[in-house]
Each structure stands twice: as structure tokens, then as C-alpha cells.
Amino acid sequence: MTRHSILPVLLYHSVERGARPEQHGWITAPEVFSEHMAYLAGEGYTTLTVTEYAAMLAEPMTEAPEKTVVITFDDGFADFTEHALPVMAEHGIKSTMYVVTGCVGSTSSWLDSVGEGDRPMLGWSDIDALVEAGVEIGAHTHSHPQLDIINRDTAWEEIRRSRGVLEDRLGREVPSFAYPFGFHGPRIRALVERAGFTSACAVKDALSGPGDDPLAIARVIVPGDTTIGTLTDLLAGRGRPPAWRGERTSTKAFRVARRSAARARSLRAGYGRTPMGGRIAEGGVQPKRPTHGP
Ligand SMILES: [Zn+2]
């Protein structure tokens, strides 16, 4: 892959003031976010939704303009409406927002265990306004579990339900999905495909490009303290690997570690005699905070 054939898929979460340094992995100040968007517009970047990009990935003969970027948001934090949407609309920048359907109009309850469970989430009327403004809405499960360490039936229900809820409520097809924390694997990827999604975003902290897997698109988290200099490096592909297909050994090893940690917690919680997967979701026993932010 040549350098100009990379295509960064950026991942933001919350755009809000007052983030502490330890929250910089997932909270970007509105001023910083505005700078990023103004930079992209000023440099003449073309933006695509994930569905538009996935269509290009599926069609190898199609080539994106050299300066193309995909901007994604995970979770559906309510601050998007005030701090992200207006500045993107001003610059004509497209984006895809992945929503946790069980938290719409409520709070970030999956973050209870790390003391962040009361952050307001977008309501349905907010989401309607996003659709109206041209933001693509994608699914991000119903309750934001670590899909790759829970049992298959629970994972399937989380994936299927998030699509069904969004399609029923929005009255349109929802073809794109994002794995919570980026965690996936062949088993979960297959369920996402079976649910009818034609694209899915992972994390990988690598640059996407031709040859990337439409059902595990590589994204790069943009930390809240990202300067324009760092953003420029990122967009140019400096310091980040190109995307790969499949899983690395370290990813598999990490899943084994998360699974056994979750099992140990479920044993302590008295769930020892049943498979721990579904119990984590049902019993509210929260896994250790993953490394990829919310
Ligand atoms: Zn998320």
C-alpha cells in the first residue's frame, strides 16, 4: 500500500468542556474539535460517511480523492448536538454517529463502574435532527458490552436489537455497525454480517485504505489533546500502521485475559455455576475498563 492510498477513519467520542487529563482518550474540547474541522476544510479534505466508504472498499476500481477522511463518533453523547454538529455543518463535513440504543434519551449507564455513568446521551428527537442534517446513524449495540467475551446468544441479541430499534425508530435502513471498545473477532464479525450489516468499524489504531475489511474497518482514536501538528501526522500516515486483515496474536491474547478476568469476577459474584457471558450483561457485573475508552 502506498502512502497516498491510506484513508484515515477518525474516531471521536464526546465533545465537551472540562475534561481531565485521564479523560482525554475520549473527550475533546469544543475549541479543539472546531480547530480540527477547520483544518480539514481548509486543507480541502473530502469527507465520506462509513457507508459511502464501505461501498468504495467493496469496489476496488473506485478510488477516493487523495485527501479523503471518514469521521466517526461512538456512543451517542448528547454534546454532539451542541458542540460537533454545528461546526461540521458550517464546513460541509459528513460524519457517522454510532448509537447505543438502550441509552438513547438516558445516560451512559455502561460507564457506571468507572464513575462516568451519568453523562447525558442523545434523545430520539436529537437523533432525528442529526438524520435531517445528513449525519449517518449506525448501531453500537443495545447496552455496550464487550461482545467478544459474552455468550453468543447475548451477543447476537445485542447486535440484532440495536439495528432493529434504530430501523424501526428512524424508518430507514441502518447498514453500519461499530464494535463497542473495538472488540471483535471472527465469531462476532460473523454475527454482525448475519444481522445484515454491510460495514462495521473496529478500532485497531491503524489507518484504513484499499484492502481493509469492510466488516472490521480500522479506525484511529483522536485523543482530546490532539494538536493540529499531531493531526497532520496522523492524516499523512506518520506513526500509524496501515490496516491489516484478521486478528493479531496480541489481540487474541488480550481477549483471553479479559475473558478470564470477567470469569473471576463472576465467580466472586456467585455466578460460578453458569456460563459467565450472559451473566455479565444480566447481573451488571462490569468488566475491567478496556483500553479503548468508551
Ligand atoms: Zn462505544
Side-chain angles (χ1 to χ4, degrees):
M1 186 183 298
T2 55
R3 171 150 292 179
H4 72 264
S5 67
I6 57 167
L7 198 151
V9 182
L10 307 182
L11 169 55
Y12 293 91
H13 289 90
S14 172
V15 182
E16 188 55 281
R17 295 194 173 85
R20 298 185 301 275
E22 66 269 24
Q23 295 170 317
H24 278 165
W26 58 284
I27 304 179
T28 307
E31 298 71 24
V32 172
F33 183 76
S34 293
E35 268 180 27
H36 291 183
M37 296 303 111
Y39 175 80
L40 294 175
E43 291 292 309
Y45 271 87
T46 300
T47 51
L48 301 174
T49 65
V50 171
T51 292
E52 289 170 343
Y53 176 46
M56 293 185 90
L57 279 177
E59 195 52 71
M61 299 309 287
T62 318
E63 232 178 81
E66 190 169 329
K67 284 184 167 182
T68 301
V69 65
V70 177
I71 300 173
T72 67
F73 293 81
D74 276 8
D75 303 333
F77 289 105
D79 49 50
F80 182 89
T81 296
E82 186 182 352
H83 297 311
L85 185 60
V87 67
M88 286 194 292
E90 180 193 328
H91 295 299
I93 290 174
K94 294 179 181 176
S95 64
T96 300
M97 164 63 85
Y98 292 102
V99 171
V100 181
T101 46
C103 295
V104 172
S106 178
T107 62
S108 50
S109 51
W110 77 97
L111 293 171
D112 272 346
S113 65
V114 292
E116 300 278 2
D118 56 358
R119 293 193 169 259
M121 308 305 288
L122 294 166
W124 285 115
S125 59
D126 303 316
I127 293 172
D128 287 340
L130 265 55
V131 170
E132 188 70 24
V135 176
E136 173 177 32
I137 303 297
H140 194 42
T141 72
H142 196 69
S143 71
H144 209 286
Q146 300 184 53
L147 286 175
D148 62 335
I149 64 166
I150 60 177
N151 76 44
R152 190 176 180 281
D153 290 348
T154 310
W156 168 249
E157 183 59 19
E158 284 278 348
I159 295 164
R160 186 206 58 74
R161 188 174 179 188
S162 64
R163 184 168 196 225
V165 167
L166 282 174
E167 292 192 339
D168 286 352
R169 185 58 182 73
L170 302 180
R172 59 170 63 205
E173 213 192 341
V174 175
S176 194
F177 182 83
Y179 303 100
F181 314 104
F183 296 151
H184 65 290
R187 188 180 64 114
I188 297 303
R189 184 190 177 283
L191 291 182
V192 165
E193 189 168 29
R194 187 178 131 200
F197 291 107
T198 52
S199 68
C201 283
V203 178
K204 297 185 179 177
D205 236 7
L207 296 156
S208 189
D212 198 3
D213 180 356
L215 286 172
I217 295 172
R219 292 189 293 177
V220 180
I221 292 174
V222 184
D225 53 1
T226 300
T227 62
I228 293 300
T230 311
L231 185 67
T232 307
D233 284 347
L234 192 164
L235 293 165
R238 287 187 283 273
R240 293 295 200 320
W244 57 89
R245 275 186 178 255
E247 285 193 289
R248 293 182 301 187
T249 310
S250 59
T251 307
K252 288 180 190 163
F254 185 40
R255 175 158 61 242
V256 170
R258 283 185 288 116
R259 200 174 268 149
S260 59
R263 188 174 296 123
R265 272 189 300 279
S266 67
L267 284 169
R268 282 201 298 278
Y271 297 143
R273 293 204 300 167
T274 51
M276 56 67 137
R279 287 293 187 173
I280 286 183
E282 293 156 23
V285 182
Q286 293 294 323
K288 183 179 164 210
R289 187 189 176 109
T291 55
H292 282 317

